[in-house]
Amino acid sequence: MESIIEVKSLAKLFSNQAALENVSFSVKKGETFGFLGPSGSGKTTTIKILTAQLVPTDGEAYVFGVPTSKLKNPEMRKKIGVLTDNSGLYARLSVFDNLKLYCDLYDVPYSRIDEVLEMVNMAGERKKVISKLSRGMLQRVTLARAFLHKPELLFLDEPTSALDPVNTRHIYRGLERLKEEGTTIFLTTHDMNEAEELCDRVAFLNKGKIQLLDSPLALRRKFADHTVTVELSGGEKEVIDMGPAGAKALHEYMSENKVTSIYSNEPTLGDIFVEVTGRKLS
Amino acid sequence: MTFSMKRLLAIFNKDYKDLTRNLYVSFTLLVPLVLAAVFGRQGIDSIDLYYMVFNMALCLVAAYIQCSLIAEEKEKNTLRGLMLSPASTMEILVGKGLLSFVTTILVIGISAYFLGYMPENLLIVSLGIILSTVFYIALGTALGLVTRSVMEASVIIMPFVFIFSFGTSLSVLAEKYPILQAADYLPNSQLIMIAKEVEMGTGLAELWSHFGIIGLWVIGMALITMVIYRKRMVD
Ligand SMILES: Nc1ncnc2c1ncn2[C@@H]1O[C@H](COP(=O)(O)OP(=O)(O)OP(=O)(O)O)[C@@H](O)[C@H]1O
Ligand SMILES: [Mg+2]
């Protein structure tokens, strides 16, 4: 399958401090790819390099087969959407006027504005002035602006970090819709549930290095310890191996009607992250 | 390099709307207008005075507005979004420059009306003012590229207001300090010379040296702006 992003041994130094070291990965067309890592691990730096806002110290990065240094032409810009923590909106203008500017810049009809506002649950707020919006609302407008022009590739830097659960859900549904339309999404987050829910594959980033890269399911399988925890009617819990011996024990408990609950011991992405890096995610 | 008029006008429209809601910056538009109204009421009839107002308008409107429009985009991080869009830096700067230009010409026109200034030859004077406006916009662009906030822009513009608005009075002291004769070659001094000659009936053909000097200032400033642009914007 076609690679939309191709990164080879990428490194970035900030005054001799490595923010990224030997990072390599590729993102396929239509895939949602997650960069999972704690604060300062280099997630934003990676997005900035891939969108030509920063020049890498070493290594190669290609987007749509084009080196990032050549991304400046308008046709390439139209294929890419970006949401980063530093993308500002015009505070004195309304939500609508902010998006209208970008419709003109990207050659998109104004009818698209209501469509994207609907996707981020802001349809009723189009006339509001930006300076009067809450942090979560700002993030949603910025997000709407990022996919206003239906980009083929969307970079999202912690898209739900300022949102409540209801709006987070709403955004997830919007992103699923974009995915169905074939959008490739590169997403960073330190929320493992978000990565698990949205991403086809995730890379664990720690101190500028990729430590693991696979689909959430494959990772959970790989790190599974093949046990279940059984809660018995007396309140005691027992960890049972998922082999023949465990089956026998479980069968016994069940025949005696002693089982109140069974928990899977499959690790979450967060557990795996801690196991691999020895660090907590947030 | 591609250049899109649609994108340029989009930037112009956005900045226009933003400027009308920016009290801090649009307040500076009022300074030359109020001065013009006050002088006009007193019925003062002096080219030097008229052009003090016009030169002030050139500094405070053409240069300062252009400078703060650029500085604010950097301060509020909105420039990032523009740079990531199909808009080129050239479209962004020219779109802003167009707004600064239109505003300057309007302010000078209204000031002239308040002052009761009717030049003998409107065409020649207009040419001089338009050429000067281009110079001040280039100056504002250069300053906007080096400043990071509207506050900084307001401070950095001060010495230029001093030199270019009041610089003409320096030549009065030139007898004592010959070095100050150089002030005659400032674009504002040249503009006043053009205006004075026009009142005496001099035609365009005899004024080319003044236009030439202002033209050199425009070219020089444009080059400086280009160099700063290359250094600052291409990282
Ligand atoms: N412009 C810069 N100059 C110097 N150091 C920088 C710069 N940008 C980032 N860094 C450093 O690079 C490292 C990675 O930063 P980055 O912003 O990529 O982290 P992140 O994973 O996005 O973190 P967060 O989750 O907090 O957003 C940090 O140590 C940071 O201090
Ligand atoms: Mg970040």
Side-chain angles (χ1 to χ4, degrees):
Chain A
M1 228 205 274
E2 193 186 336
S3 265
I4 298 290
I5 301 176
E6 189 75 57
V7 170
K8 287 179 200 151
S9 340
L10 200 65
K12 179 70 191 177
L13 297 176
F14 286 115
S15 48
N16 286 327
Q17 266 251 303
L20 289 177
E21 259 182 276
N22 195 19
V23 168
S24 302
F25 64 93
S26 70
V27 178
K28 295 192 232 25
K29 190 171 166 50
E31 183 176 36
T32 300
F33 188 91
F35 242 41
L36 195 59
S39 183
S41 55
K43 303 184 295 291
T44 303
T45 304
T46 308
I47 288 197
K48 284 189 177 167
I49 291 173
L50 290 174
T51 52
Q53 300 180 60
L54 271 179
V55 180
T57 314
D58 203 6
E60 294 162 59
Y62 298 88
V63 174
F64 294 112
V66 175
T68 48
S69 57
K70 301 231 158 59
L71 283 179
K72 304 238 175 207
N73 84 66
E75 286 318 306
M76 288 313 273
R77 293 294 193 199
K78 282 183 188 174
K79 291 163 92 170
I80 299 173
V82 190
L83 167 85
T84 48
D85 45 13
N86 65 357
S87 20
L89 297 160
Y90 296 97
R92 286 181 287 266
L93 301 183
S94 66
V95 170
F96 183 83
D97 282 338
N98 267 275
L99 295 177
K100 185 169 159 272
L101 167 68
Y102 279 84
C103 280
D104 287 333
L105 295 181
Y106 282 100
D107 257 325
V108 175
Y110 298 154
S111 57
R112 175 76 178 149
I113 294 175
D114 286 331
E115 253 172 76
V116 291
L117 286 180
E118 171 54 37
M119 279 170 83
V120 296
N121 204 15
M122 287 281 291
E125 264 89 15
R126 70 206 289 268
K127 290 220 173 76
K128 273 209 178 135
V129 173
I130 294 293
S131 59
K132 304 259 153 69
L133 299 182
S134 70
R135 213 161 84 78
M137 286 168 146
L138 274 179
Q139 191 168 21
R140 282 183 280 151
V141 180
T142 317
L143 187 59
R145 192 186 69 185
F147 53 69
L148 182 72
H149 55 293
K150 297 191 178 169
E152 288 173 44
L153 170 61
L154 187 56
F155 290 97
L156 300 174
D157 196 1
E158 303 187 15
T160 58
S161 60
L163 301 185
D164 58 67
V166 174
N167 279 305
T168 300
R169 283 277 125 214
H170 205 95
I171 299 297
Y172 287 174
R173 278 205 300 273
L175 293 180
E176 276 155 20
R177 219 162 93 196
L178 289 174
K179 190 174 158 64
E180 280 161 22
E181 290 166 12
T183 315
T184 308
I185 299 173
F186 183 95
L187 175 118
T188 77
T189 180
H190 49 234
D191 179 343
M192 61 225 172
N193 294 325
E194 181 163 300
E196 190 130 18
E197 176 137 359
L198 297 174
C199 299
D200 300 312
R201 285 192 304 149
V202 291
F204 283 2
L205 196 67
N206 186 33
K207 296 179 182 154
K209 289 186 204 142
I210 291 187
Q211 304 221 318
L212 264 185
L213 197 167
D214 214 328
S215 72
L217 187 67
L219 286 175
R220 273 191 275 111
R221 284 210 180 120
K222 195 160 144 197
F223 286 84
D225 65 353
H226 301 284
T227 63
V228 290
T229 299
V230 180
E231 198 179 313
L232 302 174
S233 41
E236 67 270 42
K237 287 177 183 171
E238 198 168 319
V239 177
I240 294 180
D241 190 77
M242 289 198 285
K248 218 168 141 204
L250 191 59
H251 181 260
E252 244 160 62
Y253 286 136
M254 282 186 155
S255 351
E256 291 164 24
N257 253 338
K258 277 167 87 181
V259 178
T260 49
S261 190
I262 300 177
Y263 310 106
S264 153
N265 286 340
E266 209 172 52
T268 64
L269 288 185
D271 299 335
I272 300 172
F273 194 92
V274 174
E275 189 175 333
V276 172
T277 64
R279 280 179 81 184
K280 278 228 158 41
L281 265 169
S282 44
Chain B
M1 187 149 112
T2 54
F3 197 85
S4 150
M5 205 59 199
K6 182 180 176 187
R7 292 197 291 261
L8 189 153
L9 288 178
I11 306 274
F12 174 91
N13 278 324
K14 181 270 295 175
D15 277 328
Y16 165 70
K17 235 180 223 167
D18 198 48
L19 189 63
T20 57
R21 288 166 203 183
N22 185 349
L23 291 180
Y24 182 72
V25 173
S26 52
F27 182 74
T28 58
L29 296 179
L30 292 178
V31 177
L33 290 175
V34 168
L35 265 183
V38 169
F39 291 153
R41 287 204 142 212
Q42 293 172 347
I44 298 169
D45 178 19
S46 142
I47 293 286
D48 280 313
L49 201 72
Y50 295 163
Y51 278 80
M52 195 197 97
V53 174
F54 297 163
N55 277 319
M56 185 169 278
L58 288 168
C59 284
L60 290 184
V61 182
Y64 175 65
I65 297 241
Q66 177 73 358
C67 175
S68 57
L69 283 177
I70 298 169
E72 189 172 24
E73 295 262 15
K74 291 199 271 184
E75 184 180 355
K76 304 274 168 68
N77 266 328
T78 45
L79 192 60
R80 275 280 162 234
L82 292 182
M83 299 291 275
L84 288 168
S85 83
S88 67
T89 320
M90 206 36 112
E91 286 158 0
I92 298 168
L93 295 181
V94 177
K96 290 177 184 306
L98 189 61
L99 178 65
S100 309
F101 183 84
V102 172
T103 316
T104 307
I105 298 299
L106 274 177
V107 169
I108 290 182
I110 297 170
S111 302
Y113 172 77
F114 284 162
L115 289 165
Y117 171 51
M118 249 337 264
E120 281 299 311
N121 188 329
L122 187 61
L123 183 73
I124 298 181
V125 166
S126 302
L127 273 179
I129 288 175
I130 288 173
L131 200 58
S132 301
T133 307
V134 174
F135 164 75
Y136 285 92
I137 288 174
L139 172 69
T141 306
L143 295 178
L145 291 173
V146 297
T147 49
R148 279 158 306 178
S149 69
V150 176
M151 247 2 243
E152 260 184 53
S154 313
V155 173
I156 206 171
I157 202 78
M158 283 309 161
F160 294 94
V161 173
F162 181 77
I163 296 171
F164 291 123
S165 300
F166 305 111
T168 29
S169 26
L170 290 179
S171 49
V172 180
L173 299 171
E175 279 175 26
K176 236 176 167 178
Y177 310 99
I179 180 94
L180 291 179
Q181 238 158 14
D184 279 348
Y185 293 93
L186 290 173
N188 50 323
S189 306
Q190 293 294 318
L191 183 61
I192 295 183
M193 287 175 200
I194 292 175
K196 285 181 173 166
E197 298 267 354
V198 162
E199 292 310 306
M200 292 187 294
T202 315
L204 192 56
E206 287 151 85
L207 291 170
W208 67 268
S209 65
H210 298 306
F211 278 100
I213 292 172
I214 300 181
L216 284 178
W217 278 95
V218 172
I219 294 169
M221 202 64 236
L223 287 177
I224 291 173
T225 309
M226 282 303 227
V227 170
I228 297 177
Y229 166 71
R230 287 266 149 80
K231 277 221 168 111
R232 291 272 161 158
M233 304 307 282
V234 189
D235 53 12

